[in-house]
Amino acid sequence: MSLRSTTLILAASLVLVTAVPFERVHKFEGQDCPLKAGGTGVCRKTIECVNGHTILKQERHCEFEGKTPVVCCPKAEYTVQASRVAADKCGKVPPHNGPKLTDHVVGKTFKAGVGDFPFIGILVYDEENLRCAGSLISSKFLLTAAHCFKSKPTAVRMGTISATDALADSYPVANTFRHPDHNRKTKQNDIGLVELRTEVQMSANVEPICLHAELADLPASANLTILGWGITNLNRQETSDDLLTGLVHPVPRSSCQSMYNDWNLKITERQLCAIGEQDSMGEYTDACSGDSGGPLVMRKDKKYFLVGVVSTGSGCGSGVPGVYTRVANYLQWTSERVWSA
């Protein structure tokens, strides 16, 4: 253990020990840990564990993540409260008939029709060369990628399928919230929120999306859809003015990790990987630059569910899966900022 991490642990321990003695296990965030009452929990930040601050005084402590306390959190309680909030909000989202074409932003792609995906918005920047997307999850908030805040977006356009639609409804951005543990180098916790100054006017072409709340991995056969206005021609670095959709499938984390070892990128349980089929030109359906922050969605019970957020990848359409931030792992963080009032 380095001197720096030891100092952080001791400094934080001085605050906690004065109240209640605690036991520490040499486990790190995301790893399984032994609960005092028996059984297995998982190391989570207190903010992401239901009743985390109460459990902090009663349960075993895991190794700190920076300055943030990590506690052995009962698996059965993890995000239960936030899941209920997400389910309640999803219940108020009206059913949607889905796209007029089969869900098939390189590779095998199709142009989306107006209203096919009413939750997607395009982030507008002062710099014309920047492009990101986001997903409307409430009347004033969109979920996107933290790395989309390298420059602050000034507005979000909703209800359009054209990236340059000057007549689209445009909503000024009030605030952006980057996950506090986002690491640009490791691509971890690549998730953020855009808060709008005014509520979005809902219509048939503008509706929020449900949040996928299941932590279990999706089967490799699951059909997932990616959306975006990103690069479609790598040689010319051309972005699409049309909203494009593509069909992709989950890739097991172990298989995905083996393909990213050469890039020294660790794929954690808070991320998921996906790739689509190969087209006649040899390209695989995949997200690309400019699709960042956009949604990875699945359809269930006539509603769309946001499963992932476009984060990173190795090239575009190369056959190496794209990497997405797993939305279900951030329900607590999301709900506390969007629906806490």
Side-chain angles (χ1 to χ4, degrees), residues 38-96:
T40 303
V42 62
C43 292
R44 299 288 185 198
K45 294 184 179 71
T46 51
I47 195 174
E48 295 173 353
C49 180
V50 175
N51 298 321
H53 290 287
T54 299
I55 292 173
L56 182 67
K57 300 176 182 179
Q58 301 171 348
E59 255 311 338
R60 293 188 170 102
H61 289 216
C62 305
E63 299 295 335
F64 273 70
E65 179 67 29
K67 296 182 180 180
T68 306
V70 179
V71 67
C72 192
C73 180
K75 286 186 177 181
E77 293 184 359
Y78 175 52
T79 69
V80 169
Q81 182 178 356
S83 296
R84 288 172 181 164
V85 172
D88 176 67
K89 300 302 179 183
C90 182
K92 299 174 184 176
V93 175
H96 190 273

Side-chain angles (χ1 to χ4, degrees), residues 33 319 338:
C33 53
V338 178

Side-chain angles (χ1 to χ4, degrees), residues 126-144:
D126 288 333
E127 299 90 336
E128 293 184 2
N129 62 325
L130 295 180
R131 183 168 290 187
C132 274
S135 301
L136 188 70
I137 61 172
S138 78
S139 60
K140 290 185 72 174
F141 282 88
L142 291 92
L143 203 59
T144 186

Side-chain angles (χ1 to χ4, degrees), residues 246-301:
L247 181 70
V248 296
H249 305 286
V251 175
R253 187 152 58 101
S254 58
S255 300
C256 185
Q257 182 63 73
S258 66
M259 287 184 265
Y260 276 98
N261 285 336
D262 290 341
W263 282 267
N264 294 318
L265 185 67
K266 182 181 179 182
I267 308 299
T268 71
E269 63 172 8
R270 294 180 166 221
Q271 297 166 305
L272 57 90
C273 301
I275 195 71
E277 297 179 0
Q278 200 172 18
D279 66 9
S280 59
M281 302 296 292
E283 286 189 329
Y284 292 81
T285 305
D286 192 11
C288 198
S289 298
D291 294 319
S292 290
L296 174 73
V297 305
M298 75 174 182
R299 204 168 151 70
K300 182 175 66 174
D301 300 328

Side-chain angles (χ1 to χ4, degrees), residues 182-340:
H182 172 237
N183 187 308
R184 188 177 297 175
K185 182 178 180 180
T186 65
K187 315 300 183 185
Q188 295 301 309
N189 305 303
D190 190 11
I191 194 166
L193 287 163
V194 175
E195 182 182 12
L196 305 176
R197 288 184 186 173
T198 59
E199 292 189 346
V200 170
Q201 185 66 39
M202 302 299 177
S203 67
N205 297 332
V206 181
E207 289 286 353
I209 188 173
C210 296
L211 298 182
H212 181 63
E214 301 295 327
L215 290 172
D217 290 338
L218 293 170
S221 59
N223 290 331
L224 303 175
T225 301
I226 51 175
L227 308 165
W229 291 274
I231 288 176
T232 56
N233 189 310
L234 286 174
N235 293 329
R236 295 195 293 270
Q237 293 290 295
E238 293 176 347
T239 54
S240 175
D241 186 59
D242 300 308
L243 177 62
L244 300 180
T245 80
L247 181 70
V248 296
H249 305 286
V251 175
R253 187 152 58 101
S254 58
S255 300
C256 185
Q257 182 63 73
S258 66
M259 287 184 265
Y260 276 98
N261 285 336
D262 290 341
W263 282 267
N264 294 318
L265 185 67
K266 182 181 179 182
I267 308 299
T268 71
E269 63 172 8
R270 294 180 166 221
Q271 297 166 305
L272 57 90
C273 301
I275 195 71
E277 297 179 0
Q278 200 172 18
D279 66 9
S280 59
M281 302 296 292
E283 286 189 329
Y284 292 81
T285 305
D286 192 11
C288 198
S289 298
D291 294 319
S292 290
L296 174 73
V297 305
M298 75 174 182
R299 204 168 151 70
K300 182 175 66 174
D301 300 328
K302 294 185 177 182
K303 294 185 180 184
Y304 286 111
F305 287 79
L306 184 61
V307 175
V309 172
V310 178
S311 177
T312 189
S314 173
C316 304
S318 64
V320 177
V323 180
Y324 301 80
T325 303
R326 193 188 293 248
V327 169
N329 286 82
Y330 297 91
L331 289 183
Q332 190 77 13
W333 180 82
T334 302
S335 64
E336 285 183 353
R337 285 151 186 81
V338 178
W339 297 297
S340 59

